[in-house]
Amino acid sequence: MNRTEIRASLALAAVYVLRMLGLFMVMPVLAILAVNYPDYSALMLGLAIGGYGLTQAILQIPMGVLSDKIGRKPVIIGGLLMFAIGSGVAATADSMLWIVIGRFLQGAGAIAGAIMALAGDVSREQHRPKVMAIIGVAIGFSFYIALLIGPVIADSYGLHGIFAITGILAILCIPLVIWVVPSAINYAPKGDTLPALIDVKKLFFDPQLRRLNVSVLLLHMMITVLFVQMPLLLSALGWQLDHHWELYLPILSASVIGLVALMMLTKKMSQASVIRFCILLLGGALLGLHFAHGTVLAVMIFGWLFFTGFNFLEASFPAMVSSIAPAGKKGSAMGIYASFQFLGAFLGGTLSGLASQYIGPQWVFVIAGGVCALWWFGLRKLDGSERLKRYTLTPDFTRYSAQTIGEQLSTLEGVVDVTVVPDEGVVYIKADGKLFALDKAQVLVNG
């Protein structure tokens, strides 16, 4: 990668990390500290933990589309300002209601699509996967960092302090976006980076993509359910909030080892089989936590099983969506996927709160385990499709029609899917890299 690509990937990763820290740091502490508010209820707690997911889910695709009309940086800066406003509302809240409102406002800063599109704009095609990978790894680490430092910060500064710090971090990201992140110098084709509203309906009903979208919704339902209940479980076992990180650290560290083991397992089993096994891990861990009220060791073991399965699924699902999506539709497919992901967080918080309030918190893990069983049953027909490579060509549309280009490329060996977009001046190809000859395709479309 050149200096511009390195600078862009690191700066955008930093923006993403700081923003996601603000969303996630409250998860391991809110269940403990929320009881001090006069209007506390289990339902309000669930909404406060998962509330950001609803506005994220609703605005994820529209904000990506808007960035194509008015520019990436204005949308990113506007999203950071909205996130900071939401953080300020939550930081000054004197009731659970205003914390919930603040969390909804935080989620309204839905800038994931715009960040990824800008990353694509400022990177060359051959290095774009590396840039995206750096940002993706940063997102994953932000979640784990938040779990470890959230309880420590909350012990020193309280819930108000966490929201105030995250609001300040969001404001500090703005000059980073303006002066450090490069402006677009190399526009990536839209189809593989941005969602398009015209594609949403068709992709929404694609059977394989639908299974993955529902799966990530359920996955984030489960992780949100866990963090509505687990802090309370640890406190009941006598662990003070500022010491919770001492349990999270070995659990998360061991889960990385479990992830490596599962990745090795995919060499002997199909990816779809390992995915179904991980869902069984989640369900078994949640049911185990229901009975783990006696010892910290049991909580750590079942927590390790949960995060081992969670890590593998969180990494596998987007890769499968990217592989399955039709040529030139990856941006739209990933936009829908992200919307389901955030919607899962909202539903997890809401349903966990409802179950705790009206059925009893002791049943939440049991219900979640039952949902995992239905989830496993629903993925019987999941196809772990082979990873295919994607190519983007710029044909000479003055010499050949879009129909002619599409028909000619479809005859090449290894080609699985072709999408021609004359308005963008590009053609997208999905093909088996071992069989597809890129030089032949370039000759074919340019003469």
Side-chain angles (χ1 to χ4, degrees):
M1 296 192 297
N2 59 31
R3 293 179 62 184
T4 297
E5 290 163 338
I6 294 173
R7 190 178 76 182
S9 59
L10 294 178
L12 290 173
V15 172
Y16 227 129
V17 166
L18 294 176
R19 175 177 162 275
M20 298 307 281
L21 278 175
L23 286 173
F24 292 143
M25 273 200 298
V26 300
M27 292 180 70
V29 304
L30 193 53
I32 304 297
L33 301 179
V35 295
N36 298 319
Y37 290 91
D39 58 341
Y40 169 83
S41 70
L43 176 59
M44 293 296 284
L45 170 63
L47 287 172
I49 289 179
Y52 74 94
L54 182 61
T55 42
Q56 283 273 350
I58 293 172
L59 296 175
Q60 198 63 231
I61 293 177
M63 291 284 275
V65 174
L66 181 63
S67 77
D68 192 43
K69 297 183 180 297
I70 67 173
R72 317 291 190 225
K73 287 191 174 183
V75 169
I76 294 172
I77 292 169
L80 290 170
L81 286 173
M82 182 59 69
F83 181 86
I85 291 171
S87 299
V89 169
T92 57
D94 56 5
S95 67
M96 285 295 293
L97 174 62
W98 280 104
I99 287 183
V100 171
I101 292 173
R103 290 287 279 174
F104 273 78
L105 289 173
Q106 280 186 324
I111 57 175
I115 287 178
M116 290 303 186
L118 181 55
D121 289 345
V122 298
S123 58
R124 293 164 295 170
E125 183 177 356
Q126 66 269 32
H127 294 291
R128 197 165 294 138
K130 299 176 187 176
V131 174
M132 299 298 186
I134 291 172
I135 296 173
V137 169
I139 294 169
F141 273 113
S142 68
F143 177 73
Y144 296 115
I145 293 171
L147 296 189
L148 297 177
I149 68 174
V152 177
I153 294 176
D155 182 65
S156 300
Y157 302 104
L159 197 56
H160 297 296
I162 283 186
F163 284 120
I165 290 171
T166 57
I168 293 170
L169 290 176
I171 295 296
L172 292 177
C173 285
I174 293 176
L176 193 65
V177 173
I178 296 174
W179 289 299
V180 179
V181 176
S183 297
I185 57 174
N186 186 25
Y187 291 94
K190 301 172 188 176
D192 273 343
T193 56
L194 276 176
L197 295 177
I198 193 172
D199 299 328
V200 170
K201 182 177 180 181
K202 181 179 179 181
L203 295 176
F204 186 86
F205 290 104
D206 181 278
Q208 287 290 75
L209 291 175
R210 185 173 66 243
R211 290 187 184 98
L212 293 171
N213 290 334
V214 172
S215 289
V216 77
L217 181 147
L218 293 174
L219 180 64
H220 281 257
M221 273 184 63
M222 296 303 118
I223 192 71
T224 310
V225 165
L226 184 76
F227 282 107
V228 173
Q229 303 298 328
M230 194 163 181
L232 299 172
L233 183 57
L234 295 178
S235 294
L237 291 172
W239 283 75
Q240 297 298 316
L241 180 60
D242 60 322
H243 290 285
H244 284 194
W245 71 270
E246 297 175 9
L247 291 176
Y248 289 131
L249 181 58
I251 289 173
L252 297 176
S253 300
S255 71
V256 175
I257 299 174
L259 172 61
V260 173
L262 289 173
M263 293 174 67
M264 294 174 64
L265 190 61
T266 57
K267 297 179 180 179
K268 299 180 180 180
M269 301 170 58
S270 69
Q271 186 179 29
S273 297
V274 179
I275 284 174
R276 287 192 289 270
F277 174 70
C278 287
I279 293 171
L280 291 179
L281 282 183
L282 295 186
L286 291 167
L287 290 174
L289 287 170
H290 172 71
F291 297 102
H293 296 284
T295 66
V296 172
L297 179 61
V299 172
M300 293 183 70
I301 291 173
F302 290 121
W304 168 64
L305 290 176
F306 182 94
F307 278 103
T308 295
F310 176 84
N311 287 343
F312 184 84
L313 296 176
E314 185 78 346
S316 298
F317 288 151
M320 292 181 71
V321 170
S322 177
S323 176
I324 293 171
K329 310 296 182 184
K330 187 171 72 174
S332 298
M334 293 304 297
I336 297 170
Y337 174 87
S339 295
F340 272 83
Q341 184 179 42
F342 288 113
L343 182 59
F346 170 72
L347 292 177
T350 304
L351 296 178
S352 179
L354 284 170
S356 295
Q357 185 163 331
Y358 295 107
I359 302 177
Q362 69 274 18
W363 290 103
V364 173
F365 284 137
V366 175
I367 295 170
V371 172
C372 286
L374 296 174
W375 179 12
W376 177 88
F377 186 78
L379 286 189
R380 290 170 302 151
K381 297 182 180 179
L382 179 66
D383 178 20
S385 299
E386 182 182 356
R387 296 292 299 276
L388 299 171
K389 292 187 176 181
R390 293 169 182 273
Y391 305 87
T392 305
L393 303 179
T394 53
D396 185 351
F397 283 101
T398 62
R399 299 181 59 184
Y400 306 105
S401 68
Q403 182 178 353
T404 300
I405 291 172
E407 290 174 350
Q408 290 180 336
L409 289 173
S410 298
T411 63
L412 293 178
E413 186 178 15
V415 172
V416 174
D417 190 19
V418 177
T419 300
V420 183
V421 189
D423 292 343
E424 296 181 24
V426 296
V427 56
Y428 301 97
I429 302 171
K430 187 165 70 169
D432 184 336
K434 296 179 181 179
L435 302 175
F436 178 68
L438 179 60
D439 54 346
K440 290 183 179 180
Q442 290 171 332
V443 171
L444 199 63
V445 298
N446 291 307

